[in-house]
Amino acid sequence: AQSVTQLGSHVSVSEGALVLLRCNYSSSVPPYLFWYVQYPNQGLQLLLKYTTGATLVKGINGFEAEFKKSETSFHLTKPSAHMSDAAEYFCAVSDRKRALTFGSGTRLQVQP
Amino acid sequence: GAGVSQSPSNKVTEKGKDVELRCDPISGHTALYWYRQSLGQGLEFLIYFQGNSAPDKSGLPSDRFSAERTGGSVSTLTIQRTQQEDSAVYLCASSLDPGSYTEAFFGQGTRLTVV
């Protein structure tokens, strides 16, 4: 079985502040992990993914995430938030056999 | 095509009617997925097609929901006797090969409203 928990359905940060979106997963096998972003009225776009290798993964738009097996976490960070980062962010896990399982999402607000 | 195409983009239907939602995946992608996104909810897995294998239907919420994929390409999600709780955005995605887990590309979705 696989599952994802995203802590915090809404996160608000000031422009220029650190962004931290939390994701914890459960998987019976070594997982593949993903972060997707959904801008208003748009489809989902892949931000970054972890499959194997380096545990710190860099994605688009300055985002990165670190796979921590001991903590079963894959938190998403960005050093300095921009207004254009306002969107909904989804963490997802795959055991490579079944479709992606998504978390419930975190809506990021960026205050000027 | 260049991306995953879904039609219609919006559908309003009366309670009790049947609806068909179409997904045209990226050419060459063997895996196709349907998800449902309800207001304030995450993405709920519905069904997954992989090549010629039997589809994984474990996410379909009731027997009113069915899907097919013809010729390993276009997929149709059918909802019979629609109910108000079926109102949601239905998202389709495709990927090259889920075994190696390349990126899943999503369509823009079909917003279904049951009145």
Side-chain angles (χ1 to χ4, degrees):
Chain A
Q2 55 187 25
S3 66
V4 174
T5 302
Q6 290 184 242
L7 292 174
S9 59
H10 288 81
V11 170
S12 182
V13 300
S14 299
E15 192 172 18
L18 171 72
V19 175
L20 171 60
L21 304 183
R22 299 179 184 274
C23 171
N24 289 89
Y25 70 90
S26 172
S27 176
S28 56
V29 299
Y32 287 175
L33 295 159
F34 304 79
W35 275 98
Y36 280 82
V37 61
Q38 186 178 34
Y39 297 103
N41 300 313
Q42 295 190 25
L44 275 75
Q45 177 184 4
L46 181 70
L47 265 181
L48 49 80
K49 65 180 179 183
Y50 168 79
T51 53
T52 58
T55 56
L56 181 62
V57 180
K58 295 186 185 298
I60 61 172
N61 300 337
F63 284 93
E64 61 184 36
E66 186 171 11
F67 169 58
K68 292 187 176 181
K69 183 178 178 181
S70 61
E71 299 178 7
T72 61
S73 69
F74 191 57
H75 302 331
L76 182 70
T77 60
K78 181 174 181 178
S80 178
H82 193 273
M83 296 296 290
S84 61
D85 295 327
E88 187 144 25
Y89 293 80
F90 293 93
C91 182
V93 64
S94 169
D95 64 3
R96 286 160 283 172
K97 293 181 181 178
R98 292 171 289 181
L100 286 170
T101 297
F102 284 85
S104 55
T106 297
R107 185 167 298 279
L108 175 66
Q109 287 184 313
V110 183
Q111 308 289 345
Chain B
V4 177
S5 178
Q6 292 187 245
S7 61
S9 54
N10 280 283
K11 176 72 176 178
V12 179
T13 189
E14 293 181 353
K15 179 181 173 182
K17 301 276 189 181
D18 297 352
V19 294
E20 286 188 351
L21 312 180
R22 175 186 169 106
C23 173
D24 203 338
I26 293 173
S27 178
H29 280 194
T30 60
L32 186 147
Y33 320 83
W34 284 98
Y35 290 86
R36 178 168 71 176
Q37 185 176 24
S38 303
L39 189 64
Q41 305 286 321
L43 276 76
E44 176 188 357
F45 165 68
L46 298 178
I47 188 168
Y48 158 48
F49 296 90
Q50 167 54 8
N52 296 321
S53 302
D56 176 358
K57 304 179 182 180
S58 60
L60 293 178
S62 78
D63 59 8
R64 296 187 295 104
F65 287 72
S66 63
E68 62 177 20
R69 188 178 184 190
T70 53
S73 182
V74 172
S75 177
T76 303
L77 177 69
T78 301
I79 309 173
Q80 296 178 309
R81 305 181 302 281
T82 52
Q83 304 294 313
Q84 287 185 329
E85 61 262 29
D86 300 334
S87 296
V89 176
Y90 290 81
L91 293 168
C92 176
S94 71
S95 67
L96 267 174
D97 174 8
S100 62
Y101 235 97
T102 52
E103 177 181 351
F105 291 83
F106 281 80
Q108 301 278 45
T110 293
R111 183 176 298 278
L112 175 66
T113 304
V114 181
V115 297

